Amino acid sequence: MGGILNSIHRFFSEMSRSSSPNEDYINKLFLWFLLLAAIIMIIIIVAVLIGAIHYRSKRHQGEPEQITGIKWLEITWTIIPFLILVIFLYFTVRFMKDIDQPVDKDQQADLIITARQWWWEMQYSKYNITTANELHIPVHQKLLMRVESADVIHDWWVPELGRKIDAIPGTSNYSWLEASDTGEYKGACSEYCGTQHAGMRILVISETKNEFERWVQEQQKVPSLPVDSVGQRGMRLFSERTCAGCHSISGIVAVSHIGPDLTHLASRKTLISGVLPNTPKNLYLWLQNPQKLKEGSHMPNFILSNNELEALVKYLEDLK
Ligand code: CUA
């Protein structure tokens, strides 16, 4: 019994975990719906049990009296569900109004999120920063996200920070993002988008205003060029082996946005859209054979030698 209660408690605390005002609304609504649905279910179970036990047919009783239509009962069981639905509709619309506050036509989004197979491009319009898969935000600040897609339909969802929002090619969807606590929040693409749908994770890092500003300053810096010979070799390889054909790194001739911007790769916690922790070892394995770690990824295998791999890893892992 204790185990079951424990599981129920865990279920509810997991379901209602929230770190944003929007998610609080969603949780409240969900729990009310669930509570009412549970009450209705209990009433039905009790009625069925009474019917089955108390009114079961006795031996040799023959067929019971047949009743066809009781007007007052039918009216009652039409009106009650109707009222329940009206109440739900009222609260749904009210909370939708709070969660999806209207966006002015000329309002500039703070964040532009572009979903791609299979990673996220994140741009901060005000700060002129482009990053990937990891979003730093200041705590208690309401940010407007513009969510788009460069290929197929994806869906942005970080459960603790509020609603889902579809990323649809050719159109822009807007959503508000606000964290009420500092910390890390995990999310993932929530619309099936191909082989690596599951490898399209999101990490949102909510920080104090100071921490966020420091991060912005770091991101705006052009990374310094490598001073050691291995790193310099890595930088040369980056241009020669056509990495620069897809990725951009500010400060060198690499401006393509087909793949993630790598300007401050070393400052990120994860690699390959959240699939692995960002360590030199994992980056080495990724560059050695991308398809092994993320099958279907658009990152080609350049069949690099061990020396080349080491040089590239050194160069990229110094991009703080
Ligand atoms: Cu992107 Cu599923």
Side-chain angles (χ1 to χ4, degrees):
M1 191 65 187
I4 296 172
L5 286 178
N6 231 334
S7 306
I8 293 174
H9 178 254
R10 248 198 75 198
F11 171 77
F12 278 101
S13 51
E14 284 289 318
M15 287 304 292
S16 56
R17 221 164 52 186
S18 164
S19 285
S20 87
N22 282 354
E23 187 57 21
D24 290 340
Y25 288 128
I26 295 170
N27 281 339
K28 234 185 264 173
L29 204 59
F30 173 74
L31 288 174
W32 287 356
F33 271 58
L34 191 70
L35 187 70
L36 200 64
I39 292 171
I40 293 168
M41 191 179 80
I42 289 167
I43 292 172
I44 290 170
I45 290 175
V46 169
V48 167
L49 286 178
I50 290 174
I53 297 166
H54 186 74
Y55 292 105
R56 67 191 292 207
S57 81
K58 317 257 172 352
R59 240 172 246 239
H60 316 299
Q61 198 188 28
E63 197 174 304
E65 188 197 341
Q66 299 297 305
I67 302 164
T68 52
I70 305 176
K71 212 174 203 173
W72 68 265
L73 184 64
E74 283 168 16
I75 291 173
T76 312
W77 74 34
T78 307
I79 287 179
I80 292 175
F82 177 76
L83 289 179
I84 292 173
L85 289 179
V86 168
I87 293 169
F88 277 165
L89 180 71
Y90 168 75
F91 282 108
T92 305
V93 171
R94 219 187 88 180
F95 285 172
M96 275 168 76
K97 202 177 125 247
D98 292 321
I99 294 168
D100 278 332
Q101 281 168 14
V103 179
D104 291 336
K105 263 222 154 74
D106 46 0
Q107 193 166 354
Q108 207 194 13
D110 302 294
L111 305 164
I112 301 161
I113 311 287
T114 311
R116 289 160 190 267
Q117 283 173 320
W118 289 278
W119 60 282
W120 304 88
E121 184 176 75
M122 294 151 170
Q123 288 167 287
Y124 295 72
S125 21
K126 199 164 121 197
Y127 304 111
N128 199 18
I129 295 172
T130 302
T131 181
N133 309 319
E134 287 181 23
L135 194 67
H136 286 246
I137 57 168
V139 68
H140 295 308
Q141 207 167 309
K142 207 169 163 181
L143 302 167
L144 181 62
M145 286 199 299
R146 193 175 90 205
V147 180
E148 295 170 348
S149 168
D151 37 53
V152 301
I153 300 176
H154 303 267
D155 185 279
W156 167 277
W157 194 29
V158 182
E160 283 162 82
L161 299 182
R163 62 162 297 177
K164 290 178 176 182
I165 185 95
D166 270 352
I168 297 170
T171 189
S172 299
N173 283 337
Y174 290 85
S175 179
W176 295 96
L177 185 70
E178 180 182 354
S180 30
D181 305 290
T182 55
E184 291 182 9
Y185 303 101
K186 286 180 182 160
C189 179
S190 302
E191 175 73 46
Y192 183 70
C193 55
T195 322
Q196 285 299 336
H197 161 66
M200 207 176 152
R201 322 260 172 91
I202 307 164
L203 184 65
V204 176
I205 300 160
S206 161
E207 301 169 309
T208 62
K209 200 163 175 273
N210 284 342
E211 283 168 338
F212 176 72
E213 275 163 12
R214 217 172 310 135
W215 178 82
V216 167
Q217 279 168 11
E218 288 298 318
Q219 296 292 306
Q220 284 172 333
K221 276 186 201 155
V222 174
S224 45
L225 297 176
V227 283
D228 59 299
S229 61
V230 184
Q232 282 168 348
R233 185 152 175 254
M235 187 175 78
R236 262 201 317 278
L237 281 166
F238 189 85
S239 315
E240 285 165 11
R241 298 302 293 260
T242 63
C243 309
C246 289
H247 297 278
S248 65
I249 292 179
S250 60
I252 67 167
V253 191
V255 291
S256 179
H257 279 263
I258 295 169
D261 187 301
L262 302 176
T263 304
H264 293 281
L265 179 73
S267 73
R268 297 182 202 150
K269 289 176 192 286
T270 60
L271 293 173
I272 330 168
S273 200
V275 172
L276 287 174
N278 186 0
T279 63
K281 176 89 209 272
N282 286 336
L283 184 59
Y284 184 100
L285 293 173
W286 169 243
L287 294 172
Q288 191 179 39
N289 190 353
Q291 297 303 316
K292 201 172 158 193
L293 295 188
K294 197 172 187 176
E295 197 187 336
S297 157
H298 298 316
M299 170 85 173
N301 186 344
F302 287 101
I303 315 173
L304 301 156
S305 71
N306 284 351
N307 272 338
E308 288 174 323
L309 285 166
E310 271 160 24
L312 270 171
V313 169
K314 177 80 179 76
Y315 170 56
L316 293 169
E317 288 292 0
D318 276 344
L319 295 171
K320 291 256 158 56

